[in-house]
Amino acid sequence: MGAIATITGQASAADGAVQYIVRANGNGTATNLTDAGFTVRHELAEGSVLVVTGPEGAAADLAAVRGITDATPDVSVDFDRPEVDADADELPSDGAALSDLQWDKQVTDVFPAHEYATGEGTSVAIVDTGIDLDHPDLGNVNEELGEAFVLDDDVPEIGPDDSGFHGTHVAGTVGATGEEGVVGTAPDTELVPIRVFPADGGATFGDILAGIDYAAEIGADAANFSLGIPGVQQPDSALNQLKAEIQTVFQSVTRQGTAITGSAGNDEGNLQGSGFTLPNSVPAVITVSATSPADTLSFYSNFGTSDIDVGAPGGWYETIPRTLGEEGEPDDIPFPLNGVLSTWPTDLESSVGLPGYDFISGTSMAAPQVAGLVALVRELDPDANANQVERAIKQGAELANGRSDPELGAGRINALRTVEAIADDD
């Protein structure tokens, strides 16, 4: 039950207006667009990228407005999850301490790393479905800073609360406090919920970009997005037109100091060469592949030296039969415990019968492992810029020779190695 977003169609509002992502090259462009009859929803990257709504088929009219260099219809995305067909095993009784089931934190040496840093004084923005504001292990959520950026919001009354489940699980992986059940990579960080999904699914790239731009505006140390388009796109793809706008916004965000962590995708796709996914296939993103409890690439994870920066635990093994225990090693973790355990909305049923917690898998679960590690690095070195933070995480990774491993990039992250190296330099 891991997740990555899949394209669901053109981004449009209930009134029929279509959303466009526009590149601009001059002051006053937003006014020019308004004068031409368009509505400007977001001004991003210091006004060089605009999110605009207007009539269907108006891309050419937009491009004709003074100050506009390009206009592309936005697309809507929703979650797509790798699946296996099996019954869930029985889990420990309700209310038990669950850290012993967090193999992901054990593999990456997170718990001993907390002797050096816990993320105190940092913040991580979760650009997702929102976060359960009532979860006992998520008492470090800053609801006041939380925002919702949703083109056609069907649950505006919930604000940054979770409209599904995905954001709550991601948030726990980053920074669950361990108050009752699980511990995140950075349990003392501040979590900022930025909801870009309505309850019925369908986040637009315009809103995703606005959410990440907002994360930089509030000074978040990291912004995690565990979403993206499915498959491997080629240079002639219509989606290639969005790549420049995404890169412009993301580079603006990282220049402001916010590191961006993104999931590589769940399509077993080779991103080598000219192939790409969005929004993670731009240089400003720390793109994360998913690994198993055995430190193998999970069977669903995308790979490719042109895109993958590091690997991190995402759950399940390198094959479905090993995931289900039909083959493998005697000490393999059984299904579903070989998924990633994290927080779950308290008002939703847990698929494993453990209220408030669930095991799911995907590159969506791998990216927040790295976002939490960004918080640990920033606690120890608050003046490090986004590139320096990424470099420290890569230098602390293991299991790869160099930084061009097609599956793991610089390697599978190791929190203890990373923070020890920073502490030794002080």
Side-chain angles (χ1 to χ4, degrees):
M1 289 179 60
I4 191 76
T6 181
I7 298 170
T8 59
Q10 192 174 59
S12 59
D15 62 3
V18 171
Q19 186 157 285
Y20 301 86
I21 298 178
V22 174
R23 269 188 290 167
N25 63 357
N27 293 329
T29 304
T31 300
N32 295 340
L33 286 166
T34 301
D35 291 344
F38 295 95
T39 299
V40 178
R41 292 190 64 227
H42 306 299
E43 296 185 48
L44 312 175
E46 300 176 332
S48 59
V49 175
L50 307 175
V51 180
V52 176
T53 58
E56 185 175 359
D61 294 334
L62 278 165
V65 174
R66 185 164 57 88
I68 299 301
T69 60
D70 186 47
T72 305
D74 197 357
V75 295
S76 178
V77 299
D78 207 346
F79 291 116
D80 180 29
R81 299 175 297 197
E83 296 181 358
V84 295
D85 185 13
D87 295 326
D89 288 350
E90 189 174 342
L91 284 179
S93 61
D94 293 353
L98 304 175
S99 62
D100 59 335
L101 297 175
Q102 293 186 268
W103 62 266
D104 54 314
K105 306 307 185 191
Q106 296 164 17
V107 163
T108 54
D109 289 333
V110 162
F111 297 146
H114 288 164
E115 297 179 14
Y116 294 85
T118 56
E120 185 174 358
T122 69
S123 64
V124 178
I126 309 299
V127 183
D128 212 293
T129 62
I131 301 176
D132 181 359
L133 303 177
D134 298 318
H135 198 288
D137 278 342
L138 297 175
N140 50 347
V141 172
N142 188 324
E143 183 178 355
E144 291 185 4
L145 282 180
E147 288 285 349
F149 297 90
V150 183
L151 170 63
D152 202 20
D153 198 355
D154 54 359
V155 284
E157 67 278 3
I158 75 169
D161 208 337
D162 203 333
S163 62
F165 63 86
H166 195 265
T168 296
H169 197 279
V170 166
T173 299
V174 173
T177 63
E179 184 70 22
E180 288 194 8
V182 296
V183 181
T185 300
D188 287 332
T189 196
E190 180 180 77
L191 298 169
V192 180
I194 300 177
R195 183 169 64 86
V196 296
F197 281 88
D200 63 358
T204 69
F205 271 113
D207 290 338
I208 293 166
L209 295 179
I212 290 178
D213 190 75
Y214 173 72
E217 179 185 327
I218 62 175
D221 293 282
N224 184 85
F225 65 88
S226 287
L227 45 85
I229 60 174
V232 178
Q233 307 298 312
Q234 298 305 317
D236 59 354
S237 166
L239 292 169
N240 195 41
Q241 299 175 42
L242 290 174
K243 196 171 183 180
E245 287 86 349
I246 291 170
Q247 182 164 330
T248 298
V249 174
F250 282 11
Q251 288 177 331
S252 171
V253 167
T254 56
R255 281 196 301 270
Q256 294 174 71
T258 299
I260 305 174
T261 53
S263 49
N266 298 337
D267 298 285
E268 306 175 65
N270 188 348
L271 302 174
Q272 183 63 38
S274 58
F276 69 94
T277 63
L278 292 178
N280 60 283
S281 285
V282 296
V285 180
I286 304 174
T287 303
V288 188
S289 61
T291 60
S292 78
D295 276 331
T296 53
L297 188 73
S298 301
F299 68 84
Y300 50 80
S301 181
N302 287 349
F303 58 94
T305 56
S306 60
D307 263 42
I308 304 302
D309 291 302
V310 290
W316 297 349
Y317 287 96
E318 70 277 5
T319 67
I320 291 176
R322 187 174 185 183
T323 297
L324 297 177
E326 297 166 0
E327 63 181 29
E329 302 299 323
D331 59 350
D332 281 354
I333 299 174
F335 182 86
L337 279 66
N338 50 30
V340 173
L341 176 65
S342 188
T343 47
W344 192 255
T346 51
D347 61 348
L348 294 182
E349 183 179 356
S350 167
S351 67
V352 290
L354 192 63
Y357 305 92
D358 216 334
F359 290 87
I360 60 177
S361 295
T363 55
S364 285
M365 285 63 252
Q369 312 273 7
V370 182
L373 185 50
V374 170
L376 300 189
V377 172
R378 271 282 170 77
E379 178 188 343
L380 295 174
D381 191 359
D383 295 327
N385 63 37
N387 289 334
Q388 291 168 330
V389 170
E390 179 177 353
R391 189 178 309 122
I393 289 171
K394 288 180 174 179
Q395 289 173 343
E398 55 187 348
L399 307 179
N401 294 320
R403 299 190 177 182
S404 299
D405 185 276
E407 296 184 349
L408 303 178
R412 193 259 297 129
I413 62 165
N414 183 289
L416 182 60
R417 282 165 52 105
T418 301
V419 298
E420 280 184 330
I422 298 171
D424 289 344
D425 286 342
D426 291 342

